[in-house]
Amino acid sequence: MGTRHNNFALVLRLIAAVLSLSATASAIGVNYGTLGNNLPTPATVAKFLKTKTIIESVKLFNADPDILRAFAGSGLKVTVTIPNGLIPSLTKDDKARGWINDHIAPFYPKTKINRVLVGNEIMATLDDNLISNLVPAMKAVQRALVKAGIDDVQVTTAHAMGILKVSEPPSAGQFWPGHDVAVYAPMLQFLRETDAPFMVNPYSYFGYSPKMANYSLFLPNPGIPDPATGITYTDMFDATLDATYSAMKRLNFTDVSLLVGETGWPTLCLPGQLECTVDNAACYNSHLVARDINGTGTPLVPDKPIGIFLFALFNENQKPGPITEQHWGLFKPDMTPVYDCGVVRPGEEIVASPESSPSSSPKEDQQANGNSSDEQEKEDSTDEQGKENSSTGSESETSTSNAAGLYPYSQFVIDFVSVMLVMLGILGFDP
């Protein structure tokens, strides 16, 4: 009898361990934009993410005080972004301290702010004033955090993939000459010294073509060999990241980690192009969630898992630009999934929320953060290089497909528990 009970206890511990893993294994993040007039309140969003999803962190394109207050005590990690236009002034220590005192100190540590981004895709602006002041502003913001007694918040910035002059083959990855020494070398030195990541925004969607569809979507394909390393790349995402690693290696910064600040796939575009579909978005993001859960690195650096922020949390009906811009969301404004990519907790049923009106308008959010409308529109959108890429597709109102053909983690947990129950029967336990 005692042996049977001991075996039963062991099985229960195994079940508990896996169920605990289902809640904590993933560190997947999501970009939380607010350019919509039908979005749930920040408090509702915080509760939803905490209780219904495996998402553990959010990235904001501003430092919205309403969101920071709403996320207090949730345990969700929050990355905030300083508007591009403030960068020149933040090279001055007093201005940097003022920004930290106004936007971080009132909420930290109740809100788990763990990262401050100094601008978004600055190199893509081609603005010499912003570019030349970027690293000095990052250093000043870091000093301001230390001065405020905050020593566990990273400072970095996000880059579009136009930072690479050469990206194929991945082993030949190279930053643009001039900026490599003047900007990236001192930036990477700063990130090394402060143990912060180099953040990039790789979008396989922008490299999509019918011929390269499977390569863009993690689907079976012959792959593209890199003769220098002998690695055959079967997806664009890994190839892009390894090209970035190679560019960093050329500057002798192999010890700085990479972090994906944005990546995703839209579900609706203009007529005439077929890549924007629910199935494609589910396929792409499902693979990213799975690799995040598994702690998968890249072919060139397999032992270094890469954190990922998916783009984006919601469809946002007031984003400017082509209709594609409004259809990057994992969830609809009523918080039902646009499709299943594995971020909903196992066993959770999500019903449409009766609340679908915002706590404030996007314009009010911009004013609260000192952003002009034009500036916020730029910072709350992804890499502009692909925004004119529009295609056709219909976003299903009820689709929860997992088109990736993966073994989703939620199903793994369910199947594991089923096996454990069978084992209980074999051990002679009668419930």
Side-chain angles (χ1 to χ4, degrees), residues 178-381:
H179 285 156
D180 54 354
V181 175
V183 179
Y184 300 118
M187 180 185 296
L188 287 163
Q189 180 62 35
F190 167 76
L191 297 177
R192 171 189 281 168
E193 292 171 354
T194 58
D195 194 26
F198 189 73
M199 181 179 281
V200 293
N201 298 341
Y203 280 90
S204 299
Y205 164 74
F206 295 140
Y208 177 94
S209 68
K211 183 179 178 181
M212 302 292 285
N214 284 12
Y215 187 68
S216 300
L217 291 164
F218 300 99
L219 294 174
N221 65 89
I224 300 176
D226 185 331
T229 61
I231 296 171
T232 296
Y233 286 87
T234 57
D235 68 86
M236 191 180 298
F237 182 82
D238 278 324
T240 304
L241 293 182
D242 276 352
T244 308
Y245 271 129
S246 296
M248 294 163 63
K249 184 177 181 180
R250 287 177 181 274
L251 299 176
N252 297 313
F253 289 97
T254 57
D255 54 338
V256 176
S257 62
L258 276 182
L259 178 62
V260 173
E262 295 177 30
T263 191
W265 203 280
T267 52
L268 186 66
C269 292
L270 294 175
Q273 294 174 297
L274 303 176
E275 60 264 35
C276 297
T277 67
V278 168
D279 283 349
N280 282 352
C283 180
Y284 184 77
N285 284 326
S286 290
H287 277 86
L288 293 177
V289 172
R291 69 181 289 149
D292 187 84
I293 288 171
N294 295 331
T296 304
T298 68
L300 197 59
V301 193
D303 59 337
K304 286 187 178 181
I306 295 176
I308 298 171
F309 285 91
L310 299 177
F311 189 90
L313 182 55
F314 294 114
N315 285 337
E316 299 170 58
N317 68 355
Q318 292 188 325
K319 289 193 72 175
I323 194 170
T324 313
E325 283 299 304
Q326 301 179 11
H327 294 275
W328 288 82
L330 304 178
F331 297 93
K332 302 170 189 174
D334 65 5
M335 296 188 292
T336 57
V338 177
Y339 50 85
D340 175 21
C341 68
V343 297
V344 175
R345 285 180 179 271
E348 288 290 346
E349 181 181 357
I350 298 178
V351 297
S353 170
E355 173 204 330
S356 58
S357 59
S359 55
S360 60
S361 70
K363 183 175 180 181
E364 289 167 343
D365 288 339
Q366 294 154 12
Q367 293 171 344
N369 288 281
N371 294 6
S372 70
S373 176
D374 288 344
E375 183 175 77
Q376 182 63 28
E377 286 172 2
K378 289 177 183 176
E379 292 171 18
D380 204 30
S381 63

Side-chain angles (χ1 to χ4, degrees), residues 364-427:
E364 289 167 343
D365 288 339
Q366 294 154 12
Q367 293 171 344
N369 288 281
N371 294 6
S372 70
S373 176
D374 288 344
E375 183 175 77
Q376 182 63 28
E377 286 172 2
K378 289 177 183 176
E379 292 171 18
D380 204 30
S381 63
T382 59
D383 186 358
E384 291 299 321
Q385 65 179 323
K387 292 317 175 214
E388 70 276 8
N389 290 359
S390 310
S391 54
T392 190
S394 60
E395 185 173 324
S396 167
E397 291 298 313
T398 58
S399 174
T400 56
S401 65
N402 182 348
L406 299 174
Y407 187 55
Y409 191 71
S410 57
Q411 189 61 49
F412 162 73
V413 173
I414 294 168
D415 291 351
F416 182 90
V417 172
S418 298
V419 170
M420 290 300 100
L421 292 175
V422 171
M423 288 179 63
L424 290 179
I426 293 173
L427 292 170

Side-chain angles (χ1 to χ4, degrees), residues 60-94:
L60 308 180
F61 291 93
N62 49 33
D64 188 318
D66 290 336
I67 295 177
L68 294 178
R69 271 190 292 268
F71 276 66
S74 68
L76 294 162
K77 297 176 183 178
V78 181
T79 293
V80 302
T81 302
I82 295 173
N84 291 359
L86 294 182
I87 286 174
S89 67
L90 291 182
T91 59
K92 301 177 177 63
D93 283 339
D94 61 331

Side-chain angles (χ1 to χ4, degrees), residues 45-55 73-76 345:
V45 172
K47 182 179 179 181
F48 169 73
L49 293 177
K50 184 69 176 177
T51 61
K52 298 291 187 180
T53 80
I54 63 170
I55 293 168
S74 68
L76 294 162
R345 285 180 179 271

